[in-house]
Amino acid sequence: MFEFADKYRGKYDSSITVAQKYYRSISGYNDELLWAAAWLYQASNNEYYLNYLGKNGDSMGGTGWAMTEFGWDVKYAGVQTLVAKFLMQGKAGLHAPVFERYHQKAEYFMCSLIGKGGRNIQKTPGGLIFRQRWNNMQFVTSASFLATVYSDYLASSRGSFKCAAGNVAPSELLSFAKSQVDYILGDNPRATSYMVGYGNNFPRQVHHRASSIVSFKVDPKFVACRQGYATWYSRKASDPNVLTGAIVGGPDAYDNFADERDNYEQTEPATYNNAPLLGILARLGGGHGGYNQLLPVVVPAPNPVVAKPKPAPKPKFTPTPATSSNPITIEQKMTTSWNAKGKTYYRYSTIVTNKSYKTLKDLKLSISKLYGPLWGLSKSGNSYGFPSWLNSLPAGKSIEFVYIHSTSPADVSVSSYNLA
């Protein structure tokens, strides 16, 4: 699909003209080609896409556009943020000067978000990002998501950046994203939650057909298309089906909001409102456990740390020592815990380090007493190996994987390996 799109360049709404009334591409297609190349490189590590970003960054606007918005049409800020990640990972190679220009534009966007740039994003008196009246919340959640991931990029590379109005630490970006989420969930001048079903004061007349028509379980009579519009759309009563979790378009530039079904600009929900918010909530829910968004890359071996978690069932974890016969160490620690439905869950981080002087290949790990999901390894039969993006581990380097379950740490041991 990428090859086709690159070869036959054009805007989709030039062919599907009816789309121009609803989702017209104002920004053109160059941002989508760069966006696609960046994600294809992230997924495949295929150098073709990295080179594409390097060779076309200037001509396609990736290094030129200084953005103050990020959305379904204009994706440059997302491209710039993701390419900045590649630069921080040391993957730019010969394209480092071009990638640095992407990086500068990513930080221009971040500066504009927190009000420290030369040209800043407009905010309502209550502090919400404001781009446009019709479904403004899409810009709030998408921009806040970029701020969240970029905060972790900086933290994991131990960096900060400079805006026109001063230096910015990673925590400032994360705090900004949290302020936007807090506003959405009710910390605003109207004390209104813009997430349907959350809190005591949320939108009751959502511009959504299935939400505003009675459930089949309540009244099984057939509702025709026009009947649904004529009978249910104009009702002033609350929705018979609560669209729990949906993020509506939100308030205007002065924090005003009219909860009316025909006020589609403010009460219409959309998937592009909710999708970025899920990422922000996942990060905020994780607390301050030291997330490394630059993974997966080979990281320097950490100094051995024996964690004493609280309130994990075991008071202490003992790392597997490295010996001449077993040059691989395994260290586990609990990074966070939480309660859900009366049960306590623990998140464990496990660091596997190659202590030998050779490259570690064909690693097979045995993991028993695991009662939950695991991320960062590939499973083959009853054993676990390197993740799909990693074939070997150089001398002195480490990889990390994590898992979640509701008991003591799993038993992790080395089954087999090769040193080359």
Side-chain angles (χ1 to χ4, degrees):
M1 289 182 68
F2 179 85
E3 183 181 1
F4 179 90
D6 193 35
K7 184 176 181 180
Y8 302 101
R9 296 183 182 183
K11 296 202 299 180
Y12 84 106
D13 59 30
S14 298
S15 299
I16 309 171
T17 53
V18 67
Q20 294 179 9
K21 297 179 181 179
Y22 307 99
Y23 291 99
R24 185 176 184 180
S25 177
I26 303 298
S27 68
Y29 51 80
N30 283 331
D31 56 331
E32 274 81 20
L33 286 172
L34 293 173
W35 181 240
W39 277 109
L40 285 167
Y41 176 69
Q42 169 77 11
S44 68
N45 279 322
N46 187 328
E47 293 289 324
Y48 173 83
Y49 301 110
L50 190 76
N51 292 333
Y52 189 97
L53 291 164
K55 293 176 181 178
N56 295 286
D58 292 337
S59 62
M60 288 186 167
T63 62
W65 281 101
M67 302 307 303
T68 56
E69 69 176 87
F70 176 50
W72 61 263
D73 181 29
V74 188
K75 302 182 179 70
Y76 280 118
V79 176
Q80 292 157 355
T81 301
L82 190 52
V83 174
K85 175 185 177 181
F86 300 154
L87 182 69
M88 294 180 193
Q89 288 177 308
K91 294 182 175 181
L94 296 175
H95 303 298
V98 178
F99 280 26
E100 181 56 41
R101 292 195 288 276
Y102 280 103
H103 185 200
Q104 291 168 0
K105 292 302 189 293
E107 296 192 339
Y108 180 97
F109 177 78
M110 302 302 161
C111 291
S112 74
L113 284 183
I114 58 176
K116 289 189 172 182
R119 183 167 65 102
N120 296 318
I121 292 177
Q122 179 184 347
K123 294 185 178 71
T124 69
L128 187 73
I129 292 172
F130 189 81
R131 172 65 178 80
Q132 65 183 36
R133 178 176 171 82
W134 189 349
N135 200 353
N136 178 67
M137 208 63 83
Q138 61 179 301
F139 300 104
V140 178
T141 59
S142 57
S144 299
F145 176 78
L146 283 191
T148 301
V149 296
Y150 197 71
S151 169
D152 279 359
Y153 294 169
L154 287 175
S156 64
S157 62
R158 296 177 175 82
S160 61
F161 65 99
K162 189 173 184 178
C163 297
N167 291 332
V168 178
S171 59
E172 188 171 349
L173 285 176
L174 191 60
S175 295
F176 166 78
K178 182 180 182 298
S179 75
Q180 300 300 290
V181 173
D182 289 344
Y183 185 109
I184 292 170
L185 297 181
D187 186 9
N188 55 63
R190 287 177 49 87
T192 296
S193 165
Y194 295 103
M195 176 183 282
V196 178
Y198 181 81
N200 296 318
N201 182 24
F202 57 85
R204 308 281 177 168
Q205 296 186 34
V206 181
H207 185 83
H208 185 273
R209 180 176 287 266
S211 182
S212 56
I213 298 177
V214 68
S215 169
F216 181 84
K217 294 178 181 178
V218 176
D219 186 349
K221 290 196 297 291
F222 178 73
V223 180
C225 185
R226 291 186 179 181
Q227 182 185 356
Y229 184 85
T231 305
W232 296 96
Y233 178 71
S234 58
R235 288 175 75 248
K236 299 305 180 184
S238 298
D239 294 330
N241 293 315
V242 178
L243 195 63
T244 304
I247 304 296
V248 299
D252 65 14
Y254 303 98
D255 299 302
N256 298 315
F257 178 77
D259 185 12
E260 300 166 355
R261 194 170 290 111
D262 59 356
N263 180 19
Y264 57 86
E265 290 185 340
Q266 293 190 316
T267 62
E268 181 181 50
T271 54
Y272 46 65
N273 295 359
N274 273 77
L277 182 65
L278 292 178
I280 307 169
L281 292 175
R283 176 61 182 88
L284 294 177
H288 301 281
Y291 289 82
N292 190 339
Q293 286 282 0
L294 294 183
L295 293 174
V297 292
V298 176
V299 296
N303 293 324
V305 174
V306 179
K308 191 172 183 178
K310 296 179 181 179
K314 286 190 177 180
K316 160 171 168 176
F317 305 150
T318 303
T320 302
T323 65
S324 57
S325 59
N326 182 18
I328 303 166
T329 61
I330 299 171
E331 297 178 51
Q332 298 200 71
K333 65 178 179 179
M334 187 195 70
T335 56
T336 189
S337 65
W338 65 96
N339 291 309
K341 296 182 178 180
K343 183 180 287 188
T344 301
Y345 292 88
Y346 307 97
R347 179 187 186 273
Y348 294 99
S349 167
T350 306
I351 304 289
V352 180
T353 304
N354 177 9
K355 293 285 190 176
S356 76
Y357 297 100
K358 297 182 179 180
T359 299
L360 177 63
K361 295 184 176 182
D362 305 320
L363 175 66
K364 298 295 181 186
L365 297 176
S366 173
I367 303 179
S368 60
K369 299 180 181 179
L370 174 65
Y371 307 109
L374 179 149
W375 297 270
L377 295 176
S378 297
K379 188 173 183 180
S380 178
N382 294 322
S383 63
Y384 293 81
F386 286 130
S388 58
W389 57 81
L390 200 65
N391 295 320
S392 61
L393 192 63
K397 303 298 183 180
S398 302
I399 59 168
E400 178 187 27
F401 66 89
V402 299
Y403 59 90
I404 294 171
H405 66 190
S406 58
T407 185
S408 306
D411 291 338
V412 182
S413 60
V414 178
S415 296
S416 63
Y417 61 90
N418 287 315
L419 295 175

